Amino acid sequence: MEQQTDRVIHPVVPKGDHILLGHADKIFQETSPYKGDGFRNHCYRLFHFATMLMEHHGLQFDRSLCYMIAMFHDLGLVSEKDNGKNYPTRSYALFRRTTVDLKLNLDHDVVRECFLYNHHALGWPSLCPEAECLRKAVQVEHSRGVLCFWL
């Protein structure tokens, strides 16, 4: 059972009314069964680590999209409406289901790789650099900073 933490980490996300920001928070709130802040803070930290790694490598990845991927990356563990053989596949299915009406101009191959490979412990040949940064960000988070990859 998740415990209530003393404070919520508020991510520094792009200012403005980008449709993905509010949408990510809304879907997270609707899907997560946890009342505490721990799961949400885990996703916030992943967002921060991923964007720092992307900046370090000079990648131009939409911060709003990165935020949404970070907020959704583990929701396949708890989503009751999405199917797939494992939780990253269900997380990606949740993303696809909840963004289909948004008419986003995305590189779906990159987004798919970000979801499907973010929990792989070992590198994956020919993985796109954005997904590799997310994969390493998960490792930073899960190792509690023991692995830091230039951060």
Side-chain angles (χ1 to χ4, degrees), residues 3-150:
Q3 294 181 340
Q4 184 75 22
T5 57
D6 290 13
R7 59 175 223 186
V8 175
I9 300 169
H10 295 284
V12 179
V13 295
K15 295 185 184 202
D17 296 325
H18 195 289
I19 193 165
L20 291 182
L21 300 178
H23 187 71
D25 290 334
K26 176 181 177 276
I27 299 301
F28 184 91
Q29 189 67 30
E30 291 172 357
T31 306
S32 175
Y34 304 114
K35 302 298 178 214
D37 299 318
F39 188 31
R40 179 180 292 108
N41 285 345
H42 162 69
C43 296
Y44 286 168
R45 287 188 301 271
L46 179 64
F47 165 73
H48 285 295
F49 295 146
T51 55
M52 286 190 290
L53 284 165
M54 288 178 193
E55 288 171 9
H56 174 79
H57 290 288
L59 300 174
Q60 300 296 316
F61 194 67
D62 184 317
R63 288 176 59 87
S64 300
L65 178 58
C66 186
Y67 177 76
M68 187 165 194
I69 292 170
M71 295 305 290
F72 278 40
H73 85 283
D74 279 342
L75 286 179
L77 289 166
V78 296
S79 175
E80 297 177 353
K81 297 179 182 178
D82 301 288
N83 296 313
K85 64 182 178 177
N86 52 42
Y87 77 91
T89 304
R90 291 188 297 275
S91 295
Y92 181 56
L94 172 66
F95 175 85
R96 294 293 301 245
R97 177 176 60 81
T98 60
T99 59
V100 70
D101 293 334
L102 299 181
K103 308 292 187 227
L104 301 171
N105 184 15
L106 303 174
D107 183 336
H108 287 284
D109 290 335
V110 170
V111 172
R112 182 182 54 76
E113 285 186 18
C114 288
F115 276 104
L116 300 186
Y117 297 96
N118 68 61
H119 277 82
H120 282 251
L122 301 175
W124 197 260
S126 71
L127 192 62
C128 71
E130 296 85 357
E132 180 66 10
C133 287
L134 271 156
R135 188 185 71 78
K136 287 181 176 178
V138 168
Q139 291 180 337
V140 172
E141 170 68 355
H142 289 184
S143 73
R144 297 182 179 176
V146 172
L147 297 173
C148 61
F149 302 108
W150 311 282

